[in-house]
Amino acid sequence: MISRATENFLKSIYDVRNERGWAKTSHLARRLERRPASVTNMIQKLAASELNLVKYIPYQGVQLTRKGELAALEIIRHHRLIELFLARVLDVPWDRVHEEAEQLEHALSEYLEDKLEAALGEATTDPHGSPIPTRDGSIPNRHSLPLTQIEAGVEVRVVEVYDHDPQLLRYLGDMGLYPGAEFKVLVREAFGNSLKILRKGKSYSLGEEAIPHISVETV
């Protein structure tokens, strides 16, 4: 059995690695809101464990073994299935489902996992557009781009948004920028990275702190 703390740690390593290539101690410490020394200590303990979940290279960072990656993907699968169930069946707002799923993901049995999947039908993404891993630990490749790379005049569709910040989700929700929403980039501000966008005939100003957390595809 893998402890709840270890599951959270593996999930954080997986997320940071996908964002940055290597999961460095400093990046993990910020994600987990813990001191770097504490994170390093946990990495070293896991790397020395017979569980064989991570590999650690001093001054470079930590990587998941295949076993560690499968464990991370399993808990991510639980998390995203729960998020989708809460949003679709219980009508929990998309800015609340992440926090609630964090509490429930570790207690989900395989029996309930099967029941959730059956109830949700052909579910492939959670309410924020993040892909739900399959039971065998695979995730389909997608060809989305960060909104930071989109030039003025291009029409796009929202694919995925960052789900760890409820305030950001409420901000985007007020503009209707849910996965699947389409809009046109009108103007990229000369100073800073803020954007003017057009959605359903109405223009909005999208703040520079929100833009890196939105992935899109061209329409």
Side-chain angles (χ1 to χ4, degrees):
M1 294 291 291
I2 300 175
S3 70
R4 175 174 179 157
T6 298
E7 286 180 337
N8 282 333
F9 200 62
L10 295 176
K11 186 171 66 171
S12 295
I13 294 172
Y14 181 88
D15 287 342
V16 172
R17 183 203 67 183
N18 282 357
E19 294 169 6
R20 299 176 179 271
W22 269 89
K24 294 185 177 180
T25 301
S26 56
H27 300 149
L28 286 169
R30 284 196 292 271
R31 174 62 62 89
L32 294 165
E33 298 181 344
R34 297 175 65 174
R35 292 182 302 169
S38 173
V39 172
T40 298
N41 184 53
M42 188 164 186
I43 289 172
Q44 291 172 339
K45 285 182 177 179
L46 270 181
S49 168
E50 293 181 355
L51 292 173
N52 187 33
L53 298 172
V54 304
K55 292 181 179 179
Y56 175 55
I57 300 179
Y59 309 108
Q60 191 165 358
V62 61
Q63 284 281 15
L64 297 171
T65 63
R66 180 55 180 164
K67 183 179 177 182
E69 182 167 347
L70 287 173
L73 286 166
E74 175 68 9
I75 201 68
I76 290 169
R77 172 177 163 82
H78 288 182
H79 182 96
R80 293 176 181 174
L81 282 171
I82 292 169
E83 283 192 333
L84 187 58
F85 180 82
L86 293 174
R88 184 184 292 179
V89 179
L90 302 184
D91 201 28
V92 177
W94 81 326
D95 59 289
R96 282 291 305 271
V97 293
H98 177 77
E99 180 181 352
E100 299 296 337
E102 286 279 289
Q103 304 303 315
L104 298 170
E105 64 190 20
H106 306 281
L108 192 67
S109 66
E110 289 191 6
Y111 173 79
L112 283 181
E113 180 183 333
D114 289 341
K115 288 292 187 181
L116 276 181
E117 187 172 37
L120 293 169
E122 297 295 324
T124 57
T125 61
D126 72 10
H128 313 105
S130 302
I132 298 173
T134 62
R135 184 176 289 280
D136 65 3
S138 62
I139 295 182
N141 291 324
R142 298 192 297 180
H143 303 291
S144 60
L145 296 168
L147 185 53
T148 52
Q149 296 184 15
I150 304 300
E151 299 296 330
V154 178
E155 294 187 20
V156 297
R157 180 183 299 113
V158 177
V159 173
E160 184 177 353
V161 297
Y162 182 74
D163 67 352
H164 288 59
D165 187 340
Q167 186 176 352
L168 170 68
L169 293 172
R170 288 191 290 271
Y171 170 74
L172 297 178
D174 287 342
M175 290 183 274
L177 296 182
Y178 300 100
E182 297 181 2
F183 63 90
K184 182 177 182 178
V185 176
L186 295 177
V187 179
R188 183 176 293 278
E189 299 294 341
F191 299 97
N193 293 315
S194 60
L195 297 177
K196 294 286 186 183
I197 67 171
L198 181 69
R199 169 165 163 73
K200 291 188 174 181
K202 186 175 181 179
S203 63
Y204 298 91
S205 180
L206 194 57
E208 62 179 315
E209 291 186 6
I211 296 168
H213 301 306
I214 304 172
S215 296
V216 298
E217 60 186 2
T218 56
V219 177

